[in-house]
Amino acid sequence: DFGNYIVYSVEKEEDTLSYNVVCYDKMLNTMKDYTTLQNGTFPMSVRDYINNLCLDCGLTFKNASDDFANYDKIIETDLYADLGYTYRDIFDELSTVTASTICLDKEDKVEVRYITETLDTIDEEYLKDINVNFGEKYGPVNSIVLSRASESDNVFLQDEDSIAQNGLTELKIVDNQIMNFNDRADYLPDLLSKLNGLEYYINDFSSTGVVYYDICDKYYVKVGDITYPC
């Protein structure tokens, strides 16, 4: 069960006697131009801004009373007014600010979601006769950098112990409208707290039956003596 979807198009495939159905979840409501915020007044917190954006789009914010990374940072003015952004573009930047993925839950509520450790391992036996490709290992993340467009005055926060042990894996965020001002270093502790130690392998495999994983689920694939976090 992945919630409700808007059926965008249906096309019958005569040669295979099947249907190709294209669907979108209700984040489709955010794919509209942003001119100015319709609900709420500035200044407001990051959490209130997300809530008001949801109200503008006819959506409900699941975490309207919850604490999450940088939820209490204050946005002084309407930074995105008439800049050519869509609501979805702004949600993308807010995902970066909160070190999360902003998506819909099964009840169509907008959720600030973090990586969920499932402790689930896909055994090699399950992967027989399936195309499996693993890319390079990414991480562990141990440095967060905030950079403006010129990239000449970066601010950063690092886990020095992890760098000494594992080498540097740097996550650079460039020209985020909310984190582009003199208070931008204040956002770094929450970002590093959420992302420090994150490591995974880029993976691509064709299978029937792993669709029980949800967005941001962390799982493992065991092949021979190697276990790949994904």
Side-chain angles (χ1 to χ4, degrees), residues 90-101:
I90 300 171
F91 278 119
D92 286 346
E93 294 222 336
L94 285 161
S95 291
T96 308
V97 170
T98 57
S100 72
T101 293

Side-chain angles (χ1 to χ4, degrees), residues 9 28 43 51 60 80 91 101-102 116 142 174 196 198-200:
S9 65
L28 187 65
N51 189 53
T60 300
Y80 297 96
F91 278 119
T101 293
I102 295 181
T116 300
N142 47 33
V174 179
N196 192 23
L198 174 63
E199 59 181 343
Y200 58 88

